[in-house]
Amino acid sequence: LVVQTAPDGLAGWTAYRQQQPDVLILDVMMPFLDGISLCRRIRETSAVPILMLSARSDGIDIVQGLEAGADDYVLKPFDLMVLIARIRAVLRRAQPVKAEGHQVTTLDDLIVDHDALEVSCDGAAVRLTPTELRLLLRLVESAGMVVSRDTLLTDVWDYPDGGDTRLVDVHVQRLRAKIGKSRIETVR
């Protein structure tokens, strides 16, 4: 295990490009380039797992971090063991999920290749983060059925006791933006 640190967002951007890390932990309030802006910049080219770390606990701040592309948002102060568990969880989610046999699911013009871990919509490739891909695979697996937020938190995020349902809402919103709003229906 090698840990690389950076004193500010710009140094973090340079270190990220040079090191290509397996996971990133970004503080929201970094000098020169804040964590949310850095997260957006990284998401332009990479699906590396990202955890946002912040003392900002307002719902709007959390949503901004998740909408920027973060896979999880950890509030300060935090328990070190909880942070380590969340790092392990995002790394697990980033691992390819292979189905037995070659499995391709087609829903109208949405094609999900479970083996190649590729998605296309309207004939064009769709670039998803590992978490978005796991969420889509879970939803495709249950096409036509209602899947609760708590079930998604357990199956996609490995949170056995539920968690913040905004995490699900924001990721579903991002997924809808990439594959079309009408493909995922919310049932209240």
Side-chain angles (χ1 to χ4, degrees):
L1 175 69
V2 176
V3 176
Q4 173 77 35
T5 62
D8 60 66
L10 290 176
W13 171 244
T14 301
Y16 162 75
R17 289 191 348 243
Q18 292 172 350
Q19 301 295 321
Q20 295 296 306
D22 295 322
V23 65
L24 292 169
I25 301 173
L26 304 177
D27 193 317
V28 171
M29 296 183 280
M30 293 187 289
F32 304 119
L33 181 64
D34 66 87
I36 290 174
S37 298
L38 179 55
C39 183
R40 282 190 186 109
R41 186 180 285 187
I42 290 167
R43 277 293 174 248
E44 290 175 4
T45 60
S46 175
V48 64
I50 299 174
L51 282 93
M52 298 300 291
L53 191 64
S54 179
R56 295 176 140 177
S57 62
D58 188 39
I60 292 170
D61 295 317
I62 295 169
V63 169
Q64 280 184 329
L66 295 171
E67 285 183 344
D71 295 289
D72 202 350
Y73 194 100
V74 179
L75 296 173
K76 294 178 187 176
F78 55 86
D79 181 280
L80 184 59
M81 296 307 292
V82 171
L83 179 64
I84 291 169
R86 289 200 172 184
I87 292 168
R88 287 182 179 145
V90 296
L91 286 171
R92 263 193 319 274
R93 290 192 303 268
Q95 298 302 312
V97 178
K98 293 287 186 176
E100 291 185 26
H102 192 78
Q103 185 177 0
V104 176
T105 302
T106 304
L107 301 168
D108 297 322
D109 56 353
L110 176 70
I111 300 170
V112 181
D113 186 326
H114 298 252
D115 291 333
L117 301 176
E118 294 174 350
V119 176
S120 65
C121 186
D122 297 325
V126 178
R127 197 159 164 251
L128 300 177
T129 67
T131 301
E132 291 166 346
L133 180 60
R134 287 179 61 93
L135 176 60
L136 180 61
L137 289 171
R138 179 60 181 91
L139 292 172
V140 164
E141 171 185 296
S142 302
M145 297 187 298
V146 175
V147 183
S148 72
R149 285 181 177 96
D150 286 339
T151 298
L152 292 173
L153 284 166
T154 299
D155 294 352
V156 177
W157 282 271
D158 292 331
Y159 293 165
D161 298 324
D164 188 350
T165 59
R166 290 176 293 194
L167 188 67
V168 175
D169 295 346
V170 170
H171 279 83
V172 166
Q173 178 185 4
R174 285 180 20 205
L175 192 54
R176 281 182 172 141
K178 292 181 179 185
I179 66 169
K181 292 181 181 183
S182 64
R183 297 183 193 282
I184 302 172
E185 181 181 348
T186 299
V187 176
R188 304 228 182 257

